[in-house]
Amino acid sequence: MLKYQQVAAEIEQYINQHDLKQGNKLPVLEQLMSQYAVSKSTITKALELLERKGVIFQLRGSGIFVRRHNRPGYMSLFSTQGFKSNLGDRVLTSDVLDVSVTKPDVTVAQNLGIDVTDDVYRVERVRFVDGEVFCYEESYYVKAIVPYLNREIVADSIFDYVQGALGVTIGFSDMYMQVGRLTETEAGYLGLQTDDPTLRIETIFHLSNGKPFDYSRITYHYEHSQFVVQANGPYM
Amino acid sequence: MLKYQQVAAEIEQYINQHDLKQGNKLPVLEQLMSQYAVSKSTITKALELLERKGVIFQLRGSGIFVRRHNRPGYMSLFSTQGFKSNLGDRVLTSDVLDVSVTKPDVTVAQNLGIDVTDDVYRVERVRFVDGEVFCYEESYYVKAIVPYLNREIVADSIFDYVQGALGVTIGFSDMYMQVGRLTETEAGYLGLQTDDPTLRIETIFHLSNGKPFDYSRITYHYEHSQFVVQANGPYM
DNA sequence: TTGATTAATTGTACCGGTACAATTATAGTA
DNA sequence: TACTATAATTGTACCGGTACAATTAATCAA
């Protein structure tokens, strides 16, 4: 783990353990520097990371302050999307409906930037948060990048496996979201009625070299899913 | 405008003007350095900004590449949320239903961190993209921070006014989203049926000093709104 | 006490540099 | 040709430093 990531993690841990509230002030830069025994640019980088994550905000001439949103029950949109495994104390489980190798249809192939003759893993899951139905997910993995999957891996975290055992790094993702109505099969999986409202998110995950390796379609249970997104300022 | 912001803007403009595609390679760091006549750390900062914005991705040992998503018709979730006024070539218009000074109810007051006896501006709008109904919005501004609003300002961009004329800077925002069904009045504004599906987003905008100044509730037309969010890697 | 002026505090912009890890290109070998 | 070892390329981590703008605290005047 990089030094600035380590420092960021420690500061975040400190904030959580001491249950600091929105607006609470952290030690000044110079003190953090000596406290963690790193240079100014390293501590700055760590703080920038935490700022992006929505954990702190910095105010020139004033100090470094804790940032918090005050709505329990809302999950970070990104934590449910592979990134930042921070689900708090909620328990995430899965019913694995399918893990198989197939050929992609044109839509899937196009989203993954591959040919319809290339192999993909198809994974189908219903996911639960604290025992409540949360979403229905259908996802496709490029087999050339993810050569092996099984029910055990899929029941846990695919991303941890991919980054751990396969040694590839996930770079970025494009999420496409829209609201619609449930189909009959989706409604069955989610325990809802056909034509009930739903949020659909399609996501294309790319490796850090830019290659797409996972295309997934998630259909959320509209009563059991509410999200928070902490955005940072007008960039320019 | 800061130097690194300026450089970032120029690079982005270059990418758009030359219509570069996903994966296209930009000049190497050292060349960009001399090309824009800035130091390494400045160009790095500019590129980091573009990376966060989803315009490029960088790959160590390899180069700097253009990043693009390939779905026209999807709007950036953040561009519709005050930040990054990049709506492409779409035209955004508004029907202003109400601009008035009132007292907030408990919910509004709590979200804005003020007292129910404090004054707020209430703004109610129906917004259109290229003439199509896009969303219904009800928002509240802390009058102590935004002392004056009128229909003309509100029909245009409130945020530009606040940052321009009032000289305050917007820092960050917390967005809370969930799916539900339309009420009768909402359906009326959006030209839909009662109980039709909808995406609701509540957002609390904070100044850069951390003070909330705007709380808004937006109800989106589910057939005319689809969003893209470009996320960046597992931070740690 | 109030208000304005000045000084101290504090984060950020910008500069420059070294070391290194990941990638890609090259040379060498079978 | 195909594979391996080596070298060149290239972005990132990390160090340190100066100048400055925004905020806050202290000082002074009325």
Side-chain angles (χ1 to χ4, degrees):
Chain A
M1 201 183 211
L2 297 171
K3 204 183 271 189
Y4 78 92
Q5 291 176 326
Q6 181 62 40
V7 171
E10 284 178 34
I11 293 175
E12 188 176 10
Q13 197 180 329
Y14 176 88
I15 292 172
N16 289 329
Q17 282 178 351
H18 292 72
D19 196 33
L20 300 187
K21 309 292 181 191
Q22 167 105 14
N24 282 19
K25 194 174 176 181
L26 265 54
V28 299
L29 257 185
E30 206 153 334
Q31 195 184 322
L32 291 173
M33 257 174 81
S34 59
Q35 190 168 326
Y36 293 97
V38 293
S39 77
K40 185 180 44 168
S41 35
T42 301
I43 195 75
T44 301
K45 208 140 194 279
L47 293 170
E48 188 205 310
L49 206 60
L50 293 176
E51 197 165 36
R52 276 211 275 164
K53 213 178 164 185
V55 175
I56 61 163
F57 65 93
Q58 301 182 73
L59 192 52
R60 165 155 84 191
S62 184
I64 303 156
F65 303 90
V66 173
R67 177 178 172 196
R68 275 208 194 289
H69 71 86
N70 52 353
R71 297 207 186 174
Y74 284 77
M75 307 177 80
S76 165
L77 180 63
F78 302 115
S79 71
T80 65
Q81 284 290 128
F83 297 142
K84 296 196 291 180
S85 56
N86 171 23
L87 283 188
D89 44 5
R90 279 182 276 267
V91 183
L92 184 65
T93 52
S94 300
D95 264 11
V96 180
L97 306 177
D98 179 38
V99 182
S100 60
V101 177
T102 48
K103 304 291 181 186
D105 63 34
V106 277
T107 313
V108 173
Q110 192 176 340
N111 279 302
L112 287 173
I114 58 173
D115 200 86
V116 286
T117 58
D118 293 328
D119 278 335
V120 292
Y121 262 104
R122 177 178 186 276
V123 175
E124 196 182 12
R125 303 187 284 190
V126 178
R127 314 202 77 181
F128 303 84
V129 172
D130 289 340
E132 268 187 336
V133 195
F134 180 60
C135 66
Y136 164 74
E137 175 192 326
E138 187 189 359
S139 53
Y140 297 88
Y141 296 84
V142 178
K143 191 159 182 295
I145 296 171
V146 185
Y148 180 69
L149 281 180
N150 63 30
R151 285 187 170 252
E152 199 174 35
I153 294 168
V154 163
D156 199 32
S157 167
I158 302 178
F159 278 49
D160 285 352
Y161 165 74
V162 170
Q163 297 208 91
L166 270 51
V168 298
T169 56
I170 297 164
F172 53 91
S173 67
D174 299 330
M175 301 168 46
Y176 300 96
M177 36 191 285
Q178 59 192 36
V179 168
R181 298 178 198 270
L182 288 177
T183 65
E184 197 179 335
T185 47
E186 288 170 342
Y189 289 130
L190 296 176
L192 290 171
Q193 304 295 315
T194 306
D195 288 337
D196 270 355
T198 189
L199 176 67
R200 290 216 178 75
I201 302 188
E202 293 170 75
T203 310
I204 301 166
F205 292 93
H206 305 253
L207 300 181
S208 53
N209 65 11
K211 289 201 178 77
F213 81 102
D214 175 17
Y215 166 62
S216 84
R217 296 188 195 119
I218 303 185
T219 305
Y220 289 95
H221 190 299
Y222 78 107
E223 286 172 327
H224 299 160
S225 58
Q226 31 192 18
F227 301 105
V228 58
V229 178
Q230 297 188 276
N232 284 317
Y235 305 127
M236 6 174 151
Chain B
M1 202 183 211
L2 297 171
K3 203 183 273 188
Y4 77 93
Q5 292 176 327
Q6 181 61 41
V7 172
E10 283 178 33
I11 293 175
E12 188 177 9
Q13 197 181 326
Y14 176 88
I15 291 172
N16 289 328
Q17 282 179 351
H18 291 73
D19 195 33
L20 301 187
K21 308 293 181 191
Q22 167 105 15
N24 282 21
K25 195 174 175 180
L26 292 171
V28 299
L29 256 184
E30 206 153 332
Q31 194 185 322
L32 290 173
M33 258 174 80
S34 60
Q35 190 168 325
Y36 293 97
V38 293
S39 76
K40 186 178 43 167
S41 36
T42 301
I43 195 76
T44 301
K45 209 140 192 282
L47 292 170
E48 188 205 311
L49 206 61
L50 293 176
E51 198 165 34
R52 276 212 275 162
K53 213 178 166 186
V55 175
I56 61 163
F57 66 94
Q58 301 182 74
L59 192 52
R60 164 156 86 192
S62 183
I64 303 156
F65 303 91
V66 173
R67 177 179 172 196
R68 275 210 195 287
H69 71 85
N70 52 354
R71 297 209 187 172
Y74 283 78
M75 306 177 81
S76 165
L77 180 63
F78 302 116
S79 72
T80 64
Q81 285 290 129
F83 296 142
K84 296 195 291 179
S85 55
N86 170 22
L87 281 189
D89 44 5
R90 279 182 277 268
V91 182
L92 183 65
T93 52
S94 300
D95 264 11
V96 181
L97 307 176
D98 179 38
V99 182
S100 59
V101 178
T102 47
K103 304 290 181 186
D105 62 35
V106 276
T107 313
V108 173
Q110 192 175 339
N111 279 302
L112 287 173
I114 59 173
D115 201 84
V116 288
T117 58
D118 293 328
D119 279 335
V120 292
Y121 262 104
R122 177 178 186 276
V123 175
E124 197 181 11
R125 302 189 283 192
V126 177
R127 314 201 78 180
F128 303 84
V129 173
D130 288 340
E132 268 187 336
V133 194
F134 181 59
C135 67
Y136 163 74
E137 175 193 324
E138 187 189 0
S139 54
Y140 298 88
Y141 296 83
V142 178
K143 190 158 183 295
I145 297 171
V146 185
Y148 180 70
L149 281 179
N150 63 30
R151 284 186 170 254
E152 198 175 38
I153 294 168
V154 162
D156 199 32
S157 168
I158 302 178
F159 278 50
D160 285 352
Y161 165 72
V162 170
Q163 295 207 94
L166 269 52
V168 298
T169 55
I170 297 164
F172 53 91
S173 67
D174 298 330
M175 302 169 43
Y176 301 96
M177 37 191 284
Q178 58 192 36
V179 169
R181 298 177 198 271
L182 288 176
T183 64
E184 197 180 332
T185 46
E186 288 169 343
Y189 289 130
L190 296 177
L192 290 171
Q193 303 296 314
T194 306
D195 289 337
D196 270 355
T198 189
L199 176 67
R200 289 215 179 76
I201 302 187
E202 294 170 74
T203 309
I204 302 166
F205 292 93
H206 305 254
L207 301 180
S208 53
N209 65 12
K211 289 201 178 77
F213 80 101
D214 174 17
Y215 167 63
S216 84
R217 296 189 195 117
I218 302 185
T219 305
Y220 289 95
H221 189 299
Y222 78 107
E223 286 171 328
H224 299 162
S225 59
Q226 32 191 21
F227 301 105
V228 57
V229 178
Q230 297 188 277
N232 283 318
Y235 305 126
M236 3 176 154

